[in-house]
Amino acid sequence: MRPRQTGGCACGAVRYHVHGPLRDVIDCHCSDCRHATGHHAALTAAAREDVEITGDVRWYASTPGTRRGFCPTCGAPLFWDALGRHRLWIHAGSLDQPTGLVTRGHVFVADIPDYYAITDGLPQRPGDDEELCA
């Protein structure tokens, strides 16, 4: 099956192919995402069985029941995985262009730091939001 979307890390050691649809992008402003990426995380998601990964992904158990996947060579953040869920979250910046995706909204805005404000007019939620992230 021809992939709908491809992506990978900065050095090319990890590549992935997504064979099904991607959810539009959600910007997560939680402190865990900020510490892992250096800013907020722009994340899309796909059904776990639709994502084919090649190369060595290093997984870090970031919080109970979740893990973050990154390239062990260049350190690029690639995935966020809530174990036991149907979807795998993908860092949108690691996708090859064009994506055809749009940003849908913001979660965990109660955690944003004092150096920026969200001014794009998109929905904002103080914490997680299953409907926005569906």
Side-chain angles (χ1 to χ4, degrees), residues 3 5 14 31 57 64 66 68 80 82 90 105 109 128 131:
Q5 187 68 51
V14 177
S31 60
V57 174
T66 68
R68 294 182 176 278
W80 183 81
I90 301 168
V109 299
D128 197 7
E131 184 178 323

Side-chain angles (χ1 to χ4, degrees), residues 39 56 118:
H39 197 42
D56 180 32
I118 302 168

Side-chain angles (χ1 to χ4, degrees), residues 23 26-30 66 80 82 85 89 106-111 124-134:
R23 191 219 51 226
I26 297 295
D27 289 348
C28 181
H29 302 268
C30 76
T66 68
W80 183 81
R85 289 199 179 163
W89 292 58
H106 304 268
V107 293
F108 291 99
V109 299
D111 293 350
Q124 298 181 26
R125 304 294 186 264
D128 197 7
D129 186 292
E130 287 190 29
E131 184 178 323
L132 186 62
C133 295

Side-chain angles (χ1 to χ4, degrees), residues 14-130:
V14 177
R15 295 290 300 160
Y16 60 86
H17 297 79
V18 181
H19 298 285
L22 286 166
R23 191 219 51 226
D24 280 330
V25 175
I26 297 295
D27 289 348
C28 181
H29 302 268
C30 76
S31 60
D32 192 42
C33 281
R34 278 199 335 273
H35 288 111
T37 67
H39 197 42
H40 68 271
L43 299 160
T44 182
R48 186 179 303 281
E49 64 270 11
D50 289 343
V51 182
E52 174 188 350
I53 302 169
T54 57
D56 180 32
V57 174
R58 183 76 43 88
W59 293 97
Y60 167 69
S62 53
T63 56
T66 68
R67 62 184 186 163
R68 294 182 176 278
F70 61 95
C71 174
T73 303
C74 67
L78 299 167
F79 308 106
W80 183 81
D81 190 12
L83 302 172
R85 289 199 179 163
H86 174 68
R87 291 182 177 229
L88 178 65
W89 292 58
I90 301 168
H91 283 266
S94 69
L95 293 166
D96 297 331
Q97 296 294 307
T99 67
L101 300 174
V102 297
T103 301
R104 181 187 291 187
H106 304 268
V107 293
F108 291 99
V109 299
D111 293 350
I112 65 170
D114 59 2
Y115 65 86
Y116 71 90
I118 302 168
T119 60
D120 57 16
L122 295 173
Q124 298 181 26
R125 304 294 186 264
D128 197 7
D129 186 292
E130 287 190 29

